[in-house]
Amino acid sequence: MVFKRLLGSLGVGGPTVDTVLDPGSALPGTALSGQVHLKGGDADFEIEHITLELVARVEAEHEDGESEGAVVFDRFSVGGGFRLAAGEQHSVPFSVTLPWETPITELYGQPLGIVLGVRTELAVAGAKDKGDLDQLTVRPLPVQEAILEALGQLGFGFKSADLEYGRIGGTGQQLPFYQEIELTPATQYAHVVNEIELTFLAAPGGMEVVLEADKRGGFFSEGHDALTRFTVAHHDVEHRDWNTEVDGWIRQLVEHRASYGSHAAYGHSGHHGHHHDSHRSGPGMGTAVAAGAAGLAVGVVGGMVAAEVVDEVGDFFEGDEEEEE
């Protein structure tokens, strides 16, 4: 999905920018490559700088409810300092490194409803314009895929995924938001757990896995949330029995009678700095991935759901563009 726009600050006759990402999905912590294609306008222009921004659609909780907005989570300068002649076509190749905590947008090629984009900012003659916005797809790291695969084989199902603004206390989280993957419980845990929420916090040396269970209440007790945290190394992917390992994590999680630290430890700070309860509902994407032979990997139910996700992605990009005009 590529948008070509005139450099709005210079009006008709200004240069145009078209950023094209290399084909295929990207991987957290590795290179994102592509080309920025420029076409000169009616006159010569000095291209002062070309900047790429990584943008995510993020949900924020506050006292009045929930809201959504675009959050820039990294910026890269990829070129500039040259003259673009009238009508000249010029391409600037780039290769930048994605943050390790970049959210995953697809699993086995199926969209999860997470929306990421790469936005191109062009600075010409002292004026700046965010002239191009392209969808970014990110696949899981091998250790993330192994954990999701194990959850699927244990009988957990994909429910939804979203990005939550705020920080998880007691972790090494770097970005101003975190990804939450909501799972329906396996049969053996359905009597004690309503759903399980999974967050990956990857780093160069390994990854923190945060699991939260929305626990069912007993006859004389109210349900509550339990939370636990585990650390794995990237090279562990080939050396662990993940089904056994992950099942042990789940058992430890549901046996907890108190949350890790406190609700505030996992509660996230919204725009106004208030702490909120750690239980959150999903974004209502309607994306459903059935657990099957390939774990959580089977396709999206019907073609309609996939179309809904694509529509939501399109709405986000088109909406962002309209806001900038």
Side-chain angles (χ1 to χ4, degrees), residues 219-234:
F219 189 69
F220 295 107
S221 64
E222 294 183 2
H224 63 280
D225 291 350
L227 183 139
T228 190
R229 207 159 41 98
F230 305 91
T231 303
V232 296
H234 294 294

Side-chain angles (χ1 to χ4, degrees), residues 201-251:
L201 297 174
M207 186 177 66
E208 292 177 271
V209 182
V210 182
L211 289 168
E212 183 182 17
D214 175 21
K215 302 179 71 172
R216 296 186 185 277
F219 189 69
F220 295 107
S221 64
E222 294 183 2
H224 63 280
D225 291 350
L227 183 139
T228 190
R229 207 159 41 98
F230 305 91
T231 303
V232 296
H234 294 294
H235 58 73
D236 285 345
V237 68
E238 302 292 339
H239 308 294
R240 293 199 188 189
D241 175 353
W242 286 106
N243 283 21
T244 301
E245 181 98 9
V246 172
D247 191 53
W249 293 351
I250 301 296
R251 289 181 185 278

Side-chain angles (χ1 to χ4, degrees), residues 1 57 109-115 135 285 287 300 303-318:
M1 186 177 311
R57 182 177 67 185
Q110 299 295 334
L112 301 181
I114 298 297
V115 183
Q135 185 180 348
M285 289 289 179
T287 310
V300 181
M304 187 176 67
V305 175
E308 287 173 3
V309 172
V310 171
D311 285 346
E312 295 222 21
V313 170
D315 289 345
F316 174 73
F317 283 91
E318 289 163 11

Side-chain angles (χ1 to χ4, degrees), residues 4 15 106 109 185 203 263:
K4 298 178 182 178
E106 64 177 28
H263 278 301

Side-chain angles (χ1 to χ4, degrees), residues 149-162:
E149 174 85 12
L151 284 163
Q153 292 189 8
L154 290 167
F156 291 85
F158 178 83
K159 183 178 178 182
S160 64
D162 62 359

Side-chain angles (χ1 to χ4, degrees), residues 68-86:
E68 283 188 345
V71 173
V72 175
F73 62 99
D74 213 340
R75 285 172 58 90
F76 308 93
S77 179
V78 296
F82 61 89
R83 175 176 288 270
L84 185 67

Side-chain angles (χ1 to χ4, degrees), residues 177-193:
F177 57 84
Y178 55 92
Q179 182 171 19
E180 198 169 71
I181 299 172
E182 298 186 5
L183 306 170
T184 56
T187 304
Q188 63 268 34
Y189 296 111
H191 65 292
V192 290
V193 173

